[in-house]
Amino acid sequence: MKESAIVMSTEQHYDAIVIGAGVCGIYQIKRLTELGMTATVLELGGDLGGTWYWNRYPGCRYDSESYTYGYFFSQELFNEWHWVEAYSPQPENLRYLNYVADKFDLRRHMQFNVRVGSAHWDEKEDLWRLGLDDGRELSCRFLIMGTGLLSQPTMPNIDGIDDFEGDSYHTYYWPHQEVDLAKRRVAVIGTGATAIQVIGEIADKVGDLKIFQRRANWAAPLNNYKIDDAKMAKLRARYEEIQADCAKSPGGFEHQPDRRGFWEVGREERIKLWDRLYDEPGFGIWLQNFREIFTDEDANAELSEYIADRIRQRVKDPVTAEKLIPKDHGFGVQRVPLETNYYEAYNRDNVQLIDISETPIERVTTTGIKTSEAEYEFDLIIYATGFDAITGAFDHIDIRGTNGQKLKGKWDSGGIQTYLGIFVHGFPNMLMPAGPQSGSASSNYPRGIENGVNWVTALLEYARARDIKRVEAGAEAEREWTEHVVQMYSMMLMRKARSWFTGYNSNVVGHEYGNPRYLVYNGGAPKYVRRIDQVASDGYTGVEMDGERAAAS
Ligand code: NAP
């Protein structure tokens, strides 16, 4: 990058700064340094890994097949790493990301324990000025947001949380040292994907386990398995094929939807398919299903009833089984948690489901949890209460674009608005390889990230070749993309769901149910990639480069 025009003061200047050293930041910094750009990654955590650095709760593991979650940018890397399990656990995933960073010597471009407090656009110099909580000020031409989808955990809005005298953790902040569970009285609040992993893992390890469920969540078996040398060799031989399969599926997985019409296939045939998919590993029952399950109420209801019967077969107590079957939404309209021994946990004598939709939690006490019906004592409370998803990480930085406009203000007042999920009008040179409304947010995340990072890197190369200092989404392009994203929701049953895909979080003011926020692109990964590739090959249509600005003035 040509930076000669920039007058350096005491702050340090970079061609690009990446916020976040997770799956996105790790690959992005690799690409930036290959371009010869001066760049650094600023990471709040004590080390790299993002989601896999923070989430250390029992049972934490991939729900994507490990070999489709890892990077594909290097076949050598793919050949070197042996995934031991089809759905790899957190410690292994963190080891993998460290291996990648070390192999490509990326760690020296990363700074840890750094909180970015502010990022303000300097219109005169065409650069971003960052204020860090450690007092430093840095500047950069391009600001790249690798802040993750689920990196802003939220505690429930329940009185008395700080009064509790036992141990308590949000799953995201699970301690690095081992937590003793044996014989302890444990509460889990929440029944999302995280809680479902925790409960299946700890039910037989704790003394007593009480689960506080506000809303039931559909879940399906993970059916995990070991990958031995022979299996791994077969996967390595399929490197290109796996990549191609993921690229052509809407969700970025190897699972391809069943393209037969739901109603064209007889009921017997549908049940046969579901019997098979329920027993297969991973998201098959969700993503290899008929496409109508996402859009057609009747088709979805039939599948939901099938899954409900499976739950009834697995949970011995019929009252508990009914409580575990969601009545407010159909199967698959929220991202489906994958489980191991989740339903069987409720057959244990030491496990009890407490339905807080009937008997709400009144407060956390010094010794436990008080509901409208009873008071329970605990040694440990686990908050598996979710995240201020996708935009939460942006909202926690004071980001200001042209004319001092706040990004949070723009999104709070006008709804989330982006161009391609990569740009925001009024925030030049801020690039989001896997931002809100991008195709990455709704797919097998790393597959989307690699596409997003490659696209952003190509844009930076394009800008460098033309000495372009400023790239910004045009207002009209942003309006058109955002409308398209919103329009896609209207076809999906998920538009009604209380899920982070619709921006729901009861613990964040303004994100409660009934106030939908359009956070993800629902057109599927192949369509998204075709669109962004077309934009690039047409010379970045919709993106105003400083040449155009000069021409216009
Ligand atoms: P979540 O799906 O948002 O679930 C949060 C849970 O906490 C819900 O059951 C929610 O109840 C409950 N809750 C929140 N506030 C509450 C309150 N004030 N009182 C009582 N209950 C409250 O969060 P998550 O389980 O962490 O999962 C989020 C996403 O992370 C998943 O969709 C998935 O994409 C990802 N994830 C992936 C994996 C993996 O396998 N790779 C594992 C875990 C998570 P309501 O439903 O009533 O709001």
Side-chain angles (χ1 to χ4, degrees):
M1 285 272 152
K2 269 183 156 182
E3 295 294 0
S4 50
I6 292 167
V7 182
M8 299 291 293
S9 63
T10 50
E11 80 256 62
Q12 272 192 288
H13 180 78
Y14 295 90
D15 295 333
I17 289 180
V18 182
I19 306 184
V23 177
C24 179
I26 291 169
Y27 181 42
Q28 185 65 76
I29 193 67
K30 177 175 187 295
R31 297 299 317 273
L32 293 174
T33 53
E34 281 166 358
L35 282 187
M37 292 177 81
T38 59
T40 190
V41 182
L42 304 178
E43 166 60 52
L44 177 62
D47 205 347
L48 59 83
T51 222
W52 304 108
Y53 170 82
W54 292 101
N55 286 286
R56 293 163 189 252
Y57 61 82
C60 181
R61 59 175 64 248
Y62 292 152
D63 55 11
S64 306
E65 288 68 35
S66 311
Y67 51 90
T68 71
Y69 191 99
Y71 295 113
F72 274 87
F73 64 73
S74 158
Q75 188 165 7
E76 189 179 287
L77 169 67
F78 192 85
N79 284 337
E80 282 169 4
W81 189 261
H82 183 147
W83 293 107
V84 182
E85 293 181 62
Y87 304 93
S88 174
Q90 176 271 334
E92 189 72 358
N93 308 341
L94 189 57
R95 259 198 298 282
Y96 170 75
L97 293 174
N98 275 277
Y99 180 83
V100 174
D102 292 341
K103 176 177 170 70
F104 297 103
D105 195 15
L106 304 175
R107 191 180 287 279
R108 67 199 168 94
H109 304 293
M110 298 177 181
Q111 304 180 45
F112 302 115
N113 299 305
V114 176
R115 182 185 288 277
V116 179
S118 62
H120 295 176
W121 174 248
D122 181 333
E123 181 73 21
K124 238 162 88 194
E125 300 280 7
D126 279 338
L127 52 76
W128 284 95
R129 295 192 183 280
L130 271 55
L132 312 186
D133 280 9
D134 60 19
R136 283 184 294 156
E137 287 189 1
L138 303 181
S139 63
C140 59
R141 176 76 80 212
F142 293 99
L143 178 62
I144 304 180
M145 304 300 285
T147 40
L149 303 179
L150 299 162
S151 52
Q152 206 62 52
T154 47
M155 288 293 280
N157 47 2
I158 302 173
D159 286 342
I161 285 177
D162 293 335
D163 298 344
F164 183 61
E165 287 170 358
D167 294 332
S168 61
Y169 311 115
H170 190 289
T171 44
Y172 188 75
Y173 295 121
W174 195 264
H176 288 207
Q177 63 280 13
E178 202 164 322
V179 175
D180 184 20
L181 296 168
K183 300 202 178 111
R184 296 181 87 192
R185 299 163 302 171
V186 179
V188 173
I189 302 184
T191 46
T194 300
I196 285 171
Q197 286 188 331
V198 172
I199 293 160
E201 180 70 23
I202 69 171
D204 64 352
K205 298 180 179 65
V206 299
D208 177 79
L209 178 61
K210 292 196 175 16
I211 295 124
F212 293 81
Q213 171 181 279
R214 186 166 64 180
R215 245 166 22 101
N217 208 337
W218 295 101
L222 178 66
N223 294 319
N224 194 14
Y225 59 89
K226 297 266 185 249
I227 300 180
D228 60 15
D229 287 349
K231 274 202 186 101
M232 197 62 225
K234 277 191 188 151
L235 290 168
R236 288 186 183 128
R238 292 184 53 234
Y239 167 75
E240 276 164 18
E241 189 186 327
I242 296 170
Q243 211 175 346
D245 281 352
C246 291
K248 70 177 189 236
S249 91
F253 290 92
E254 280 205 286
H255 311 287
Q256 307 293 335
D258 195 316
R259 296 186 183 278
R260 296 173 298 170
F262 184 98
W263 302 110
E264 285 152 29
V265 174
R267 182 168 156 80
E268 212 173 293
E269 183 63 25
R270 294 199 283 270
I271 302 287
K272 224 164 83 187
L273 174 72
W274 295 339
D275 281 346
R276 179 168 63 76
L277 293 180
Y278 195 82
D279 293 335
E280 278 185 8
F283 279 132
I285 187 70
W286 188 36
L287 301 178
Q288 270 169 252
N289 220 307
F290 303 100
R291 289 167 298 171
E292 287 87 340
I293 67 159
F294 296 104
T295 54
D296 177 330
E297 301 262 11
D298 294 333
N300 183 277
E302 190 179 306
L303 172 64
S304 300
E305 197 42 39
Y306 172 88
I307 305 286
D309 276 341
R310 288 294 202 135
I311 297 171
R312 290 182 189 110
Q313 287 157 20
R314 290 176 61 187
V315 178
K316 287 188 190 141
D317 172 34
V319 177
T320 305
E322 281 318 304
K323 284 188 188 301
L324 289 168
I325 296 169
K327 307 292 188 297
D328 68 329
H329 68 285
F331 180 85
V333 306
Q334 294 179 192
R335 199 173 188 278
V336 177
L338 295 181
E339 48 82 26
T340 306
N341 294 331
Y342 175 62
Y343 293 109
E344 286 68 22
Y346 293 97
N347 296 333
R348 298 180 57 85
D349 291 340
N350 66 334
V351 176
Q352 187 190 352
L353 182 68
I354 296 171
D355 183 346
I356 54 170
S357 69
E358 286 175 0
T359 56
I361 295 179
E362 290 185 344
R363 61 173 298 114
V364 175
T365 66
T366 52
T367 54
I369 294 175
K370 182 175 180 325
T371 68
S372 59
E373 187 187 53
E375 198 161 342
Y376 304 93
E377 294 200 343
F378 294 109
D379 304 309
L380 169 64
I381 300 179
I382 301 175
Y383 295 99
T385 44
F387 298 87
D388 185 1
I390 308 189
T391 50
F394 290 83
D395 288 354
H396 280 75
I397 303 172
D398 174 21
I399 301 175
R400 298 189 197 189
T402 52
N403 305 317
Q405 183 187 17
K406 288 188 178 187
L407 181 63
K408 182 166 169 18
K410 170 169 172 148
W411 282 349
D412 279 354
S413 60
I416 313 233
Q417 302 153 70
T418 74
Y419 179 44
L420 308 173
I422 298 173
F423 306 88
V424 183
H425 175 65
F427 296 81
N429 291 6
M430 184 183 84
L431 303 168
M432 308 179 292
Q437 302 186 340
S438 73
S440 325
S442 51
S443 74
N444 188 5
Y445 194 41
R447 303 279 54 73
I449 281 173
E450 271 186 6
N451 292 330
V453 166
N454 289 338
W455 198 92
V456 161
T457 309
L459 170 71
L460 296 179
E461 271 186 290
Y462 179 95
R464 174 166 66 179
R466 290 160 184 78
D467 198 18
I468 289 165
K469 293 191 173 54
R470 170 178 167 136
V471 297
E472 181 183 1
E476 183 51 26
E478 180 177 85
R479 197 194 54 72
E480 176 268 331
W481 178 255
T482 304
E483 247 178 51
H484 176 56
V485 168
V486 174
Q487 174 64 22
M488 288 258 165
Y489 269 82
S490 67
M491 293 182 256
M492 313 291 289
L493 297 175
M494 64 110 94
R495 71 186 181 280
K496 300 179 194 164
R498 290 170 190 244
S499 118
W500 60 274
F501 274 26
T502 50
Y504 158 76
N505 184 318
S506 69
N507 306 304
V508 180
V509 175
H511 297 185
E512 301 88 353
Y513 189 61
N515 183 20
R517 296 181 312 123
Y518 302 98
L519 286 172
V520 300
Y521 171 76
N522 287 306
K527 204 167 158 195
Y528 177 74
V529 172
R530 273 200 303 278
R531 174 70 193 266
I532 60 173
D533 284 352
Q534 188 66 50
V535 165
S537 61
D538 289 348
Y540 297 97
T541 41
V543 183
E544 289 167 4
M545 309 272 178
D546 53 14
E548 293 166 53
R549 192 170 48 144
S553 65

